[in-house]
Amino acid sequence: SKADLKEKLSKMYSAPDTTCISLFGFRTHFGGGKSSGFGLIYDNIAATKKFEPKHRQIRLGLADKTQKSRKQIKERKNRSKKVRGTKKN
């Protein structure tokens, strides 16, 4: 699992904390038994928060997911479409 890999990588590269390690994009190979993916190790949690994308921060537990309804998002998108190309006041 990713948790086991984080532990192993933190020992290998002497990372300060397992939350500074970001693992993503894993794909299994045909036949099983082997997977490959990407991993990033940051110097500290501040660097992780600065450089890591929002969706991966949420997965790591560093950021909270904002709850918006699907309808609200779509209505906002359609309102912004009407504004496009018009002059600012």
Short mmCIF file of all heavy atoms in Angstrom, two decimals, residues 4 9 15-16 19 24-25 29 33 48 53 62 65:
data_model
loop_
_atom_site.label_atom_id
_atom_site.label_comp_id
_atom_site.label_asym_id
_atom_site.label_seq_id
_atom_site.Cartn_x
_atom_site.Cartn_y
_atom_site.Cartn_z
N ASP A 4 2.76 1.90 3.29
CA ASP A 4 3.98 1.10 3.44
C ASP A 4 5.12 1.69 2.62
O ASP A 4 6.27 1.76 3.07
CB ASP A 4 3.74 -0.35 3.00
CG ASP A 4 2.70 -1.05 3.86
OD1 ASP A 4 2.52 -0.63 5.02
OD2 ASP A 4 2.07 -2.00 3.36
N LEU A 9 10.21 4.74 1.90
CA LEU A 9 10.89 5.87 1.28
C LEU A 9 11.44 6.84 2.32
O LEU A 9 12.52 7.41 2.14
CB LEU A 9 9.95 6.61 0.33
CG LEU A 9 9.66 5.93 -1.00
CD1 LEU A 9 8.55 6.65 -1.75
CD2 LEU A 9 10.90 5.88 -1.87
N ALA A 15 13.54 11.21 5.07
CA ALA A 15 12.56 12.30 5.00
C ALA A 15 12.13 12.69 6.41
O ALA A 15 12.05 11.83 7.29
CB ALA A 15 11.36 11.87 4.18
N PRO A 16 11.85 13.97 6.64
CA PRO A 16 11.49 14.40 7.99
C PRO A 16 10.16 13.82 8.50
O PRO A 16 10.02 13.55 9.68
CB PRO A 16 11.39 15.92 7.87
CG PRO A 16 11.21 16.20 6.43
CD PRO A 16 11.89 15.09 5.71
N THR A 19 4.22 12.79 5.81
CA THR A 19 3.32 13.71 5.11
C THR A 19 4.07 14.55 4.08
O THR A 19 3.45 15.16 3.22
CB THR A 19 2.59 14.66 6.09
OG1 THR A 19 3.56 15.27 6.94
CG2 THR A 19 1.56 13.93 6.90
N PHE A 24 1.71 9.15 -6.17
CA PHE A 24 0.52 9.25 -7.03
C PHE A 24 0.79 8.58 -8.38
O PHE A 24 1.93 8.24 -8.70
CB PHE A 24 0.15 10.73 -7.25
CG PHE A 24 1.26 11.56 -7.84
CD1 PHE A 24 1.34 11.77 -9.20
CD2 PHE A 24 2.22 12.12 -7.03
CE1 PHE A 24 2.36 12.52 -9.74
CE2 PHE A 24 3.25 12.87 -7.56
CZ PHE A 24 3.32 13.07 -8.92
N GLY A 25 -0.28 8.39 -9.15
CA GLY A 25 -0.17 7.90 -10.52
C GLY A 25 0.28 6.46 -10.65
O GLY A 25 1.01 6.11 -11.58
N HIS A 29 1.11 -3.49 -13.56
CA HIS A 29 1.59 -4.14 -14.77
C HIS A 29 0.79 -5.41 -15.02
O HIS A 29 0.26 -6.02 -14.09
CB HIS A 29 3.08 -4.47 -14.63
CG HIS A 29 3.95 -3.26 -14.65
ND1 HIS A 29 4.44 -2.72 -15.81
CD2 HIS A 29 4.37 -2.45 -13.66
CE1 HIS A 29 5.15 -1.65 -15.53
NE2 HIS A 29 5.13 -1.46 -14.21
N GLY A 33 1.67 -8.18 -9.45
CA GLY A 33 2.93 -8.31 -8.72
C GLY A 33 3.87 -7.14 -8.87
O GLY A 33 4.90 -7.07 -8.21
N THR A 48 5.66 21.36 1.08
CA THR A 48 4.61 20.48 0.54
C THR A 48 3.35 21.29 0.25
O THR A 48 2.76 21.16 -0.82
CB THR A 48 4.28 19.35 1.55
OG1 THR A 48 5.48 18.72 1.96
CG2 THR A 48 3.36 18.32 0.94
N PRO A 53 -0.24 20.29 -5.62
CA PRO A 53 -1.56 20.74 -6.06
C PRO A 53 -2.63 20.49 -4.99
O PRO A 53 -2.47 19.62 -4.14
CB PRO A 53 -1.86 19.89 -7.29
CG PRO A 53 -0.57 19.32 -7.70
CD PRO A 53 0.29 19.25 -6.49
N LEU A 62 -3.64 17.56 4.21
CA LEU A 62 -3.09 18.87 4.54
C LEU A 62 -4.08 19.99 4.29
O LEU A 62 -3.95 21.08 4.83
CB LEU A 62 -1.81 19.14 3.71
CG LEU A 62 -0.65 18.20 3.96
CD1 LEU A 62 0.47 18.45 2.96
CD2 LEU A 62 -0.12 18.37 5.37
N LYS A 65 -11.40 19.80 1.93
CA LYS A 65 -12.16 19.89 0.69
C LYS A 65 -13.36 20.80 0.91
O LYS A 65 -14.10 20.62 1.88
CB LYS A 65 -12.62 18.49 0.26
CG LYS A 65 -13.26 18.47 -1.11
CD LYS A 65 -13.64 17.06 -1.51
CE LYS A 65 -14.27 17.08 -2.88
NZ LYS A 65 -14.76 15.77 -3.27
#
